[in-house]
Amino acid sequence: MKEFELIKHFFTEQSVKRKDVLLGIGDDCAVVSSTENQDIVVTTDTLVAGVHFPLTTLPKAIGHKAVAVNLSDIAAMGAKPSWISLAITLPDVNDDWLSEFCAGAFELCDYYNVQLIGGDTTQGPLSITITAQGLTPEGKYLSRSGAKSGDWLYVTGELGDAALALQHIKGNLLIDNELAEQVQKKLDFPKPRVLAGQALREYASAAIDISDGLLADLGHICQASNIGANIVLDAIPLSDAMNKSQLFDDAINFALNGGDDYELLFTVSEDNKVGMETALSHAGTKITCIGQVNTSKAISTTLNNKSVLINASGFQHFYSKENTKK
Ligand code: ADP
Ligand code: MG
């Protein structure tokens, strides 16, 4: 198949046809109409085979994940995703692989009414770059920089499963088949918190999506907002699979340092707390309060109401020996 036929065959067959796309795939540029009283948020994320996903990852999961990581960034801004472009580098043209990749990518796009409007196709080691755009009411986007001392710290969903799955795939630990399947689904098919992000627009003072682990991404909010925060370790939401397969201190390490969860981390003032909790329960999103913002400019952690220290190698030493199951 020639490059042009390939593009036409695989990338123009999407069911979403948005009214604000004046010109889609096929010309030198796409043309979208600008919307009055709306801001446009723009993000780009690249996935390189063997770096951002294991080489054994199925093409459908790669397509899903490439879109999901970008929509997750759009969600963290409180925006509604609208358009994406796809720059894909392929080692060769494999019809079955491309069909599955597109099925994974388009399933998520179709669900959120996001249209693929252009891209680039090249030959080389497998790598996928997506640029996504989204809309927010003028001046209403969320950012990392609005957190204030006294605000409450929340996360959506459960943390650490994707990192647990990755360690299982790498053979660094062994978990039960059924539990492994559950966490692998989280690694391969992360669900971007698109509706939760939009619901948070009215309530959150700052937000970020957790792609690099809770500690790292909370660090970004702290730096951007010029504040510090305390995390209550016993409050961190963990999945059944995590609880059943890991000791508490290992589970907490996965949650603190593991990446790829794509949950939202956000801060809410005392005044907005009830409104936010109501809005998010309407959006059907599980949320957990995991701590509070303070003026310290550092991240601290507590367990059983006592402060515990974080060191570079994590938490394996904070748990007293008598309490471990090892
Ligand atoms: P040009 O040489 O002008 O950059 P291309 O031949 O690269 O044009 O692309 C032709 C059309 O196909 C353009 O509209 C481009 O946006 C689109 N396109 C190319 N690759 C992809 C892709 N992977 N996904 C979506 N659209 C693509
Ligand atoms: Mg081109």
Side-chain angles (χ1 to χ4, degrees):
M1 219 187 275
K2 293 225 173 67
E3 183 191 326
F4 220 68
E5 293 162 30
L6 179 153
I7 293 166
K8 191 167 181 334
H9 183 74
F10 289 103
F11 299 123
T12 60
E13 295 302 309
Q14 199 193 353
S15 56
V16 171
K17 307 270 182 247
R18 292 175 60 101
K19 277 205 212 100
D20 55 12
V21 177
L22 306 181
L23 212 49
I25 293 170
D27 218 302
D28 290 318
C29 289
V31 182
V32 294
S33 59
S34 59
T35 321
E36 235 182 297
N37 306 323
Q38 302 263 305
D39 290 330
I40 300 175
V41 303
V42 186
T43 184
T44 300
D45 254 324
T46 296
L47 301 185
V48 176
V51 178
H52 299 98
F53 55 86
L55 295 170
T56 52
T57 309
L58 295 174
K60 190 169 182 187
I62 298 171
H64 174 100
K65 194 161 183 169
V67 174
V69 299
N70 278 280
L71 297 197
S72 178
D73 282 324
I74 299 275
M77 303 300 289
K80 188 172 187 173
S82 49
W83 318 296
I84 61 167
S85 4
L86 164 70
I88 189 164
T89 305
L90 298 163
D92 49 36
V93 175
N94 176 329
D95 283 18
D96 293 339
W97 192 97
L98 272 166
S99 290
E100 281 295 297
F101 173 86
C102 286
F106 285 150
E107 190 174 36
L108 198 50
C109 287
D110 292 357
Y111 187 78
Y112 289 115
N113 194 34
V114 171
Q115 188 171 339
L116 176 65
I117 57 170
D120 201 18
T121 307
T122 51
Q123 190 163 30
L126 179 61
S127 159
I128 301 113
T129 297
I130 288 183
T131 295
Q133 306 184 44
L135 302 166
T136 53
E138 217 167 26
K140 288 283 192 177
Y141 61 87
L142 295 173
S143 73
R144 302 174 177 187
S145 64
K148 302 230 160 30
S149 176
D151 286 356
W152 297 100
L153 194 61
Y154 279 83
V155 288
T156 59
E158 287 146 357
L159 302 185
D161 280 1
L164 174 60
L166 191 60
Q167 291 311 309
H168 177 77
I169 290 168
K170 285 182 168 172
N172 294 340
L173 53 79
L174 201 64
I175 54 179
D176 197 77
N177 271 345
E178 198 185 314
L179 302 179
E181 235 170 71
Q182 287 171 24
V183 292
Q184 171 130 20
K185 221 180 263 170
K186 296 268 203 80
L187 176 68
D188 284 346
F189 294 94
K191 293 206 170 82
R193 296 291 186 175
V194 172
L195 299 181
Q198 288 168 73
L200 285 173
R201 198 162 59 209
E202 291 296 317
Y203 303 101
S205 49
I208 191 169
D209 69 320
I210 306 181
S211 51
D212 298 330
L214 176 59
L215 280 180
D217 289 315
L218 177 56
H220 294 315
I221 286 190
C222 289
Q223 201 158 30
S225 298
N226 203 22
I227 45 96
N230 182 66
I231 306 172
V232 178
L233 296 179
D234 350 25
I236 293 177
L238 303 169
S239 70
D240 281 349
M242 180 68 85
N243 281 323
K244 281 181 188 155
S245 66
Q246 301 301 305
L247 294 166
F248 179 76
D249 49 354
D250 293 331
I252 291 298
N253 273 327
F254 277 122
L256 289 177
N257 300 310
D260 267 3
D261 282 323
Y262 301 102
E263 296 295 347
L264 295 180
L265 168 68
F266 57 96
T267 56
V268 184
S269 69
E270 175 70 27
D271 286 351
N272 279 345
K273 205 173 164 201
V274 174
M276 180 281 291
E277 289 189 354
T278 311
L280 277 256
S281 82
H282 286 155
T285 312
K286 172 180 170 171
I287 50 162
T288 310
C289 182
I290 59 160
Q292 197 169 17
V293 175
N294 56 45
T295 54
S296 71
K297 304 203 178 152
I299 297 172
S300 58
T301 52
T302 55
L303 180 68
N304 295 324
N305 289 320
K306 290 196 197 88
S307 67
V308 286
L309 284 180
I310 313 171
N311 63 30
S313 55
F315 272 84
Q316 56 268 52
H317 304 300
F318 80 90
Y319 210 50
S320 78
K321 283 211 170 71
E322 303 84 79
N323 289 341
T324 58
K325 292 186 238 165
K326 262 178 196 155

